[in-house]
Amino acid sequence: MGRVVMVTGVSRYLGGRFTQLLQADPDISRVIGVDVVPPKADLGDAEFVRADIRNPVIGKVIAQAEVDTVVHMAVLATPLDAGGRAMMKEINVIGTMQLLAACQKAPSVRKLVVKSSTAVYGSSPQDPALFTEDLEPNAMARSGYAKDSVEVEGYVRGFARRRPDVAVTTLRFANFVGPKVTTPLTSYFSLPVVPTVLGFDPRMQFVHERDGLEVLWRVTLGDHGGTFNIAGDGVVTLSQAIRRAGRPSIPLPQPAAPWIGQALRRLGIADFSSEQLRFLSYGRVVDTTRMKDVLGFTPRYSTREAFDDFVARQGLHGPLSADVVGAVEERVVDVLGSVTSRSGGTRTVISDA
Amino acid sequence: MPDARVIPIGGDDRPRRASAADAVAAGASRASGERARRRAGSPLLGGTPAAGEAAAPARPARRRTAKKAAPPPATPPPEPVETVLDEPETGAPPADSPVLPEWERKVAATLAFVRRRLTGDVEVDEFGFDPELTDHVLLALLRPLYEHYFRVEVRGIENVPTEGGALVVANHSGTVPMDSLMTQIALLDHHPAHRHLRMLGADLVFQTPVISELARKSGTTLACNADAERLLDKGELVGVWPEGFKGIGKPFSERYKLQRFGRGGFVSAALKAGVPIVPCSIIGAEEIYPILGNVKTLARLLGLPYVPVTPTFPWLGPLGAIPLPSKWIIEFGEPVPTDGYGPGSADDPMLVFNLTDQVRETIQHTLYRLLMARRSIFF
């Protein structure tokens, strides 16, 4: 009898893809997907349980199926996904509490994998350039996704203390990008004109969805306990990312940014929470040494390649793409060449004479 | 763009380092190589005997390309530029290079530079340091100030190690941190290894719009032990001004009197990394904006450490931002080794205090010596 894996949050893109991935594995006999809404994607042979992880039904499912591995991917990043901040917090925090309570009661559970985020570190001008895993989650994270993630990780740590026999792995992912995945940041880069904060050029890291799924799959099958930062190699600055996408940008002064952010949020165009604005001002970079040394995982896509792939596959190339700029440069060189070939020619003649 | 950095076009046959200078050179050679190719095909040039001579040893391969691209509406053939650069030809630089006027190469290099900036084709490190932008734009703008305005004289540059990590500790003064920028130029231009100084800045720097962006891009990072140790472990040359705002914002009457050297955090970072500490004494910076008074209430309102009153500021408005043209000397002293103290020494407060004092005294004495020898503030 193979392993029984339960995945929460399967109705969203990454959860769905991950479930498909798990089924391909011969060691896993059953995959149970849980979510509040039915999945859009085809989950194949996986069983889908339409359950709210906020109610005790989840405990029964775990007990009946004798689940040995739980992968918790149901922490929502934006209220747009949940229908309001209150609902989002409910799903994220209360949902995690219920899930962990159920896991604690189930002797069959041997492994817990939690998909968290580097948002737990917050973004501020007083932070070191790179965050390592042992840095305390930042007190600056007072709202939204960051706060939820910090709380979720707190409950996970509590669970790990009470069930020392369960291997607990927390993966703190940098921002996901890729051909399909949708996050607040990917919709931000899809805006026709990308607003930035005037006078700030934050450093960012991305993780390609393919790499993210691979590392999730690896830790689900392996038995590395602990907390790991997951991000592609290297760093891009926001201005560099926008230019690579060839999109026009508009810098907004810092005091005005929250107003415009709120307006965009009201209109449902993009999610600009205050933490998102801090991220767009101060950026965030994490140290991935543990990911490489302990997990032995090297992402296939660097931060830059991941972003380029995202831009290319989602067709986001704007009017100022590399081809256009390159063509303009060629033209200028051309014109200069024809001008200087005359003057250059005469010059040589004169010097010879 | 500093001409010293534009490297002769033909000499660039990989493997190229990812340094900014090379990047620009590569850009130049790319652009001029392309142009050279097009030129070879230009009937106008080909007709001129002198130019024909110059282009005479042209490789057969290039000839072929030239013939193909012969018709005047010189649309470049769609072949990749690399093939022209990669031709396994004679080691000599392209024959037509003497014809290329210097300014034209510069224009090509600048264009390539602009293209890379516009398309985001640049490499920044994890701290946000952008060497290309720093060398060719940010420091290039300050270089005239360094060379002709403050006429900085550098002494003891041989005391800065050519490779590996080292911590440069200097006195801070001058109302705005001009001294750190000048030290950065001194080390980049006059050190035999042309080293980039990675500076540590206060968090105010990273809160302030525009300044935070420029600081990160020019290699500055937050003054905290984590960042200092990370940079030193990477073998970078790190610069620190431990007096901080107390030093830079002190009144003119206290010029050249070193303030407290923080809590000695820089010493424990150096001890942990086992890198030498290079004391650096800067004179001249105190006189650029002599602080006569400090508007404390306004400073508190604006959240700034001080709002200076100088002989020209705020009386002359924007003209008050012009610094006085003092003559500068930057002297690097004998390095203080930190590798002989064994493990755990970074947590020994007595040792840290002693070393901090030693460095501070060295700088203070050097300052006095330099001041005694100085003829005048301005010459």
Side-chain angles (χ1 to χ4, degrees), chain B residues 260-285:
Chain B
R260 186 164 60 85
F261 260 25
R263 279 164 277 185
F266 69 93
V267 170
S268 57
L271 276 169
K272 242 181 216 159
V275 299
I277 299 175
V278 183
C280 168
S281 317
I282 303 166
I283 69 163

Side-chain angles (χ1 to χ4, degrees), chain A residues 125-132 198-201 203 235-237 239-240 243-244 254 281-282 285 287 289 304 320-322 325-326 329-330 332-334 336-337 340-345 347-349 352, chain B residues 30-31 34-35 38-39 44-45 48 50 74 76 98-99 101 103-104 107 111-112 115 117-128 203 206-210 212-213 216-217 221-222 224 226-227 230:
Chain A
Q126 285 112 344
D127 283 323
L130 275 84
F131 294 100
T132 50
L198 179 71
F200 288 96
D201 196 6
R203 298 159 299 137
V235 164
V236 296
T237 63
S239 66
Q240 189 185 357
R243 284 176 198 165
R244 288 192 82 75
Q254 209 175 15
S281 305
Y282 308 119
V285 177
D287 184 324
T289 317
R304 196 161 144 173
L320 302 170
S321 66
V325 176
E329 188 207 5
E330 295 239 316
V332 175
V333 170
D334 246 12
L336 276 178
T340 50
S341 62
R342 269 173 225 138
S343 65
R347 217 179 85 138
T348 329
V349 173
D352 276 5
Chain B
R30 183 201 123 118
E34 214 170 294
R35 205 172 38 256
R38 236 172 278 147
R39 245 154 176 277
L44 210 153
L45 247 186
T48 331
V99 189
W103 69 268
E104 196 189 327
V107 169
L111 275 176
R115 171 179 45 81
R117 303 307 311 183
L118 282 182
T119 53
D121 188 13
V122 290
E123 205 64 60
V124 296
D125 79 353
E126 53 207 14
F127 296 90
D203 49 5
F206 300 100
Q207 281 166 22
T208 319
V210 184
S212 96
E213 184 179 343
R216 280 255 173 245
K217 291 200 168 154
T221 190
L222 185 74
C224 63
D227 284 14
R230 189 177 289 274

